[in-house]
């Protein structure tokens, strides 16, 4: 696809999967005084849907913008002592993700090449979960 390499820009779509969970830190007060015996985050799988815009800077480098909608959910497992009960709470999130990337490409060998992508992104949890107004739940 040598003609593809010469295009100054192109567009596409992205589909991806994601995995999210909480990272918990228990305070001493929780460990000594709470009736909840266990709280554990459970890993869950979601998916991403996005657009891709690629701008060719030169033979070796491309600038890429890949805004995405990220559909994720996080589960917390609770085990309570009084009353004795086990509960799983599901917290769903829709994130807007705005990655900007630089892509480095090697020379082609037949129809293959090596490339590396580096960049950064900003995620926005939208809309906040009802009852959590003003607080953001961040995920990776």
């Amino acid at each position: 696809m040598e003609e593809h390499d010469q295009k100054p820009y192109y567009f596409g779509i992205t589909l991806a999967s994601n995995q999210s969970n909480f990272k918990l830190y228990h305070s001493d007060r929780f460990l000594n005084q709470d009736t909840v015996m266990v709280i554990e985050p459970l890993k869950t799988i979601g998916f991403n849907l996005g657009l891709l815009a690629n701008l060719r800077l030169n033979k070796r480098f491309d600038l890429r913008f890949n805004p995405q909608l990220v559909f994720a959910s996080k589960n917390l497992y609770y085990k309570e002592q009084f009353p004795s009960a086990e509960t799983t709470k599901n917290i769903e999130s829709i994130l807007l993700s705005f990655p900007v990337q630089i892509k480095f490409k090697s020379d082609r060998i037949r129809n293959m090449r090596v490339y590396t992508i580096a960049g950064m992104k900003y995620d926005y949890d939208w809309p906040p979960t009802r009852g959590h107004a003003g607080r953001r739940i961040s995920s990776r």
Side-chain angles (χ1 to χ4, degrees), residues 17-63:
S17 64
N18 64 60
Q19 185 179 41
S20 59
N21 66 342
F22 287 112
K23 188 169 188 177
L24 300 179
Y25 298 97
H26 297 297
S27 71
D28 291 335
R29 183 175 174 202
F30 171 81
L31 295 173
N32 294 327
Q33 298 177 7
D34 208 313
T35 60
V36 177
M37 294 172 49
V38 175
I39 297 179
E40 293 179 347
L42 303 174
K43 292 183 180 178
T44 57
I45 295 176
F47 70 95
N48 306 6
L49 177 63
L51 300 173
L52 173 66
N54 191 91
L55 175 65
R56 182 175 184 257
L57 300 175
N58 59 36
K59 181 181 175 184
R60 297 269 186 239
F61 290 96
D62 290 354
L63 179 65

Side-chain angles (χ1 to χ4, degrees), residues 43-104:
K43 292 183 180 178
T44 57
I45 295 176
F47 70 95
N48 306 6
L49 177 63
L51 300 173
L52 173 66
N54 191 91
L55 175 65
R56 182 175 184 257
L57 300 175
N58 59 36
K59 181 181 175 184
R60 297 269 186 239
F61 290 96
D62 290 354
L63 179 65
R64 298 162 53 101
F65 182 57
N66 186 219
Q68 299 177 11
L69 275 173
V70 179
F71 299 94
S73 68
K74 294 170 261 327
N75 291 331
L76 286 174
Y77 166 75
Y78 294 87
K79 185 173 183 183
E80 299 177 74
Q81 188 173 10
F82 300 109
S84 181
E86 294 183 15
T87 307
T88 300
K89 179 171 174 125
N90 183 319
I91 300 167
E92 295 180 352
S93 295
I94 299 174
L95 296 141
L96 298 173
S97 182
F98 301 98
V100 177
Q101 305 161 336
I102 297 285
K103 179 179 177 181
F104 170 77

Side-chain angles (χ1 to χ4, degrees), residues 118-132:
M120 60 184 172
K121 72 175 183 167
Y122 173 78
D123 286 343
Y124 177 73
D125 189 358
W126 178 81
T129 307
R130 184 177 290 178
H132 293 88

